[in-house]
Amino acid sequence: MVFEHKRRRLSMAASLLAGTALTATTPALAQDAGAAETDTDVIIVTAQKRAQDLQDVPVAITAIGTEKLDQLQVSELQDVVKFLPSVTIQTAAPGFSQVYFRGVASGENANHSSSLPTVGTYLDEMPITTIQGALDIHAYDLARVEALAGPQGTLYGASSMAGTIKMVTNAPDYGDSYGAIDLELNQVAHGGIGGTAEGFYNASLGSNAALRVVGWYRKDAGYIDNVAGSRTYPTSGITQNNAALVEEDYNDVETYGARVALGIELDDNWTVRPTVMGQVQTANGSFSQERSTAVTGDLQTVQYNPEYSKDKWLQAALTIEGKLGNWDLTATGGGLWRKDHVESDYSDYAYFYDALYGYGAYFYDNNYDLISPNQYIQGGDKYRRMFGEIRVASPQEAPIRFIGGLFAQRQRHEITQNYIIDNLTDLFTVTGTESNVWLTRQTRTDRDYAAFGELSFDVTDQLTLTGGARLYKYKNSLIGFFGYNANFSSRTGEAACFAGPIVDGTPCTNLDKVTSDTDAIWKLNATYEINPDVLVYATWSQGFRPGGINRRGTLPPYKPDSLDNYELGWKTRFGDVTFNGAVYQEDWSDIQLSFLGENGLTEIRNAGIARIRGLEADFSYRANGLTLSLSGSYNDATIRKDFCRIANPDFDCTFDPGDGRVNALLAPAGTRLPITAKFKGNAIARYEFPLGSWDGHVQGALAHIGSRRSDLRTFENGLKGTFPAYTTLDLSIGMKNDKMRFELFATNLFDERGVINTGVQCLETTCGDPDGISSTGGVFYDTVIKPRVIGIKTGFDF
């Protein structure tokens, strides 16, 4: 009977979890006690908050385990995304990345006051999504990375509208004491030398307790040169140069961190797992190259002010698992403390506004002498995130199964942005600052509460129906100050204040708004097991993203947006071959579109609907030392109605609002959504063979991403340009035995310059020639993938 087959698989899953500490690798990890005794074709995931064989989960999942992460030279999130067919990443620098699933991207300006991400990120049981995106966690001693495509709103809630990425760490192992040390030395083409030192030790503290300690240090060499340049401001005639900042390979990064996890079995039914993890990442310079001009070339830029960021975070979590009769209970909670400091060059803004509008005439010192309008930013963010969830799950082998619980989280974000012009007259300096022409100092608070549940019923031995719901309430607020001194602007900043200072460090308050909503999202699924190795499913699921506050106080709050997903999928395993896939349609409603408006302020409004139709599939073969895998996705993602400058459901883009504003068609219906390519795919081939008393291997990994729009809007996309397609090839060769391993590798072997982001500091409606500089434009900066890296790795177990 199929019921018996399901019970056998569930029993296998439970034993795997007990024996390998939630490890999901193929093949099993030699590091983990007892792993060699398990079925290496079974990958255990916790996507549905239960331990299940990947092939039994009716969800589109890509799971990459510890050993494969190492084989693919993965050290950070950007490296993982390359091998996740449904996922796209957009980044400006380490620690500032946005992740997208299945084309659900509108080209968001990931500003501190803008929309939450469309993708949820989890570290073990805890959500760690912040407004800046995913934490840039160094990938070492991870049990696996799970990428769950499509809305995961029922079980994962807000900001899992388009998908969820789970990073699962290796838990303490009670069975034995052991450890490993791994070292790497590498050189980046056109740049410097970097390396990594990392290790872990698992200490058995008896038959019912264990401690796992992990540490890492990584130095990423720079490859962008800051070359000499100068510019003369038209209004004042003052010349600026960057001689003091000229440097080769100036965008180096230093990352170090640690994790300590304790596992305690209180008795046969109850376990406690406290974990503390933290990381410090310091990045120098810029990670973008200027589009070629008479001054700059490949991997070069001209920056006139220091560029720097330091990102520090600490996560503490506690998970308690136990039994209430024959039901499972899981209680988990924790906190995330994150703090970053950023220094940025903003002189392009000053120069081109001076050229366009005589901007520099407004800037003089206390003696009324003109000064350089050169502008730079010193900013910082402080996050305090608290989270708690309690859930119960009925016996997994029963024909009727339930999982559900309560969820709550609160994130407080303290925002500081100092826009500085040195020696600025006190008359124009924002009150209480030294030389700020502009100040943003605000406190943003995002709250999310939910009750959720899923009920599954085995109608027959082969057919299972599942229904799920999540009742949620969010409440988001933004309070503080943004803007100029009242003498500099009579409309914004201090001139618009309506109360004294509420947030520390502000001259007064000109923004204090709250938005909230209560609603529900739903899920229906039918799963049919044709035989023990072939499963098909159909799903309708919903996801949502909370609304929020526009920091321009005259604009209304923006509403939630939502995603309806209609999906047909299959999971198959035929001996040494697995073939999984899904076809889907996703309808995205009330899109939260963010763009730069007046004074360069981010504005968000709900702008129509989009439809994504796509296909994703992965194939793998493993036998006789040979492993082959192919995966890819196709997404046709377009807006379904005209996108107008002024949104009004009762009129088209030609209507006259009658209040002095001008409406315009920004993007016609049928325009592709930006950031995501129509096609993305990868192929990996690995051959393992005996080499005397050692095991040898050779591996090649090919990754391709197609062309992408840079912006939804037609005019802005024409200025910024379309990101061209690119393909990378990684190679490795190595050997290992029971205790030692050596590997020589190369990533991006052909030294591709794949563009993953672009930016410009001038107003997007006045930017000029995208191939360089014009009298009405600005400088375009393209963030490119890392050039070719060649390295050697060694490690040993003890």
Side-chain angles (χ1 to χ4, degrees), residues 422-658:
D422 290 332
N423 302 314
L424 181 65
T425 175
D426 294 340
L427 187 67
F428 290 161
T429 298
V430 175
T431 304
T433 69
E434 272 190 37
S435 203
N436 276 33
V437 65
W438 176 285
L439 171 68
T440 297
R441 192 161 178 83
Q442 301 168 335
T443 298
R444 171 176 176 164
T445 306
D446 294 87
R447 310 163 186 86
D448 181 21
Y449 314 98
F452 64 92
E454 286 191 2
L455 182 67
S456 297
F457 172 52
D458 294 330
V459 180
T460 70
D461 289 358
Q462 296 170 286
L463 177 63
T464 300
L465 300 180
T466 299
R470 189 179 189 96
L471 176 65
Y472 66 84
K473 177 184 173 103
Y474 71 80
K475 181 180 180 182
N476 299 334
S477 61
L478 188 63
I479 185 172
F481 174 85
F482 68 98
Y484 300 107
N485 182 291
N487 294 316
F488 191 80
S489 172
S490 61
R491 297 184 301 112
T492 62
E494 294 183 45
C497 282
F498 51 79
I502 297 175
V503 175
D504 290 343
T506 62
C508 51
T509 300
N510 60 13
L511 178 63
D512 185 1
K513 285 191 174 183
V514 179
T515 185
S516 63
D517 192 22
T518 301
D519 207 338
I521 54 175
W522 309 90
K523 173 183 176 180
L524 294 175
N525 171 270
T527 302
Y528 188 75
E529 196 171 74
I530 297 172
N531 62 49
D533 295 314
V534 179
L535 172 150
V536 295
Y537 67 88
T539 297
W540 167 65
S541 58
Q542 293 183 308
F544 83 103
R545 179 168 51 164
I549 303 298
N550 271 295
R551 66 166 167 158
R552 186 185 295 281
T554 55
L555 297 176
Y558 51 93
K559 302 182 298 181
D561 53 358
S562 61
L563 198 71
D564 282 86
N565 175 57
Y566 308 90
E567 182 173 329
L568 297 173
W570 64 91
K571 300 282 183 78
T572 66
R573 178 189 286 140
F574 303 103
D576 300 321
V577 174
T578 61
F579 179 49
N580 301 335
V583 294
Y584 47 84
Q585 175 176 301
E586 298 187 330
D587 293 329
W588 188 6
S589 303
D590 294 321
I591 300 172
Q592 292 177 12
L593 181 75
S594 57
F595 56 94
L596 293 179
E598 186 181 354
N599 300 122
L601 290 180
T602 297
E603 299 181 5
I604 305 100
R605 63 178 175 82
N606 300 91
I609 60 174
R611 174 171 291 170
I612 301 101
R613 287 176 171 164
L615 164 70
E616 58 195 23
D618 63 81
F619 166 90
S620 66
Y621 168 82
R622 183 170 182 266
N624 302 317
L626 178 64
T627 302
L628 298 174
S629 64
L630 298 170
S631 63
S633 67
Y634 174 84
N635 287 284
D636 183 16
T638 60
I639 59 173
R640 303 293 294 167
K641 61 183 293 186
D642 291 347
F643 170 38
C644 308
R645 184 182 304 279
I646 302 171
N648 191 317
D650 299 323
F651 300 94
D652 61 22
C653 292
T654 62
F655 89 101
D656 180 1

Side-chain angles (χ1 to χ4, degrees), residues 310-355:
K310 188 169 188 176
D311 185 13
K312 302 187 293 184
W313 56 266
L314 178 71
Q315 184 229 22
L318 174 65
T319 299
I320 301 172
E321 295 178 320
K323 291 281 189 180
L324 294 176
N326 62 350
W327 284 54
D328 296 322
L329 180 141
T330 302
T332 183
L336 173 67
W337 296 263
R338 184 180 188 184
K339 182 178 180 180
D340 66 62
H341 174 74
V342 177
E343 295 186 13
S344 304
D345 185 1
Y346 207 52
S347 61
D348 286 358
Y349 179 96
Y351 175 77
F352 288 103
Y353 268 71
D354 190 20

Side-chain angles (χ1 to χ4, degrees), residues 78 82 223 287 299 726-728 748 751-756 783-788:
Q78 187 172 338
K82 184 163 64 172
Y223 49 88
F287 289 78
L299 299 176
Y726 65 90
T727 303
T728 60
N748 191 10
D751 203 23
E752 285 281 324
R753 292 287 178 275
V755 178
I756 55 176
T783 306
V784 296
I785 61 174
K786 187 177 291 186
R788 178 179 56 248

Side-chain angles (χ1 to χ4, degrees), residues 123-126 260 273-277 315-319 332-335 337 387:
L123 180 59
D124 292 322
E125 291 282 343
M126 182 174 176
V260 178
R273 293 199 308 273
T275 303
V276 177
M277 183 174 181
Q315 184 229 22
L318 174 65
T319 299
T332 183
W337 296 263
F387 148 81

Side-chain angles (χ1 to χ4, degrees), residues 163-181:
T164 299
I165 291 181
K166 293 186 65 176
M167 290 172 279
V168 183
T169 61
N170 280 314
D173 178 6
Y174 309 134
D176 199 1
S177 295
Y178 54 91
I181 293 177

Side-chain angles (χ1 to χ4, degrees), residues 173-309:
D173 178 6
Y174 309 134
D176 199 1
S177 295
Y178 54 91
I181 293 177
D182 291 276
L183 303 171
E184 177 185 320
L185 184 68
N186 62 60
Q187 178 161 18
V188 59
H190 321 285
I193 294 175
T196 302
E198 53 198 4
F200 80 91
Y201 185 69
N202 187 93
S204 176
L205 305 178
S207 60
N208 61 352
L211 179 71
R212 196 174 187 100
V213 180
V214 186
W216 58 89
Y217 172 85
R218 187 175 93 235
K219 177 63 179 289
D220 294 309
Y223 49 88
I224 300 286
D225 300 335
N226 192 21
V227 300
S230 66
R231 56 174 40 144
T232 299
Y233 289 93
T235 301
S236 64
I238 294 173
T239 298
Q240 176 186 29
N241 69 65
N242 68 339
L245 299 173
V246 171
E247 183 181 351
E248 292 186 349
D249 311 329
Y250 87 134
N251 63 321
D252 58 302
V253 184
E254 185 179 58
T255 305
Y256 58 90
R259 184 178 84 248
V260 178
L262 179 64
I264 303 173
E265 284 188 350
L266 301 178
D267 56 29
D268 291 342
N269 293 325
W270 291 88
T271 62
V272 177
R273 293 199 308 273
T275 303
V276 177
M277 183 174 181
Q279 182 175 281
V280 177
Q281 186 173 69
T282 303
N284 296 303
S286 168
F287 289 78
S288 301
Q289 63 179 19
E290 292 188 19
R291 296 189 185 171
S292 294
T293 66
V295 178
T296 59
D298 185 42
L299 299 176
Q300 292 183 336
T301 188
V302 181
Q303 297 297 293
Y304 293 89
N305 294 287
E307 299 264 287
Y308 165 87
S309 70

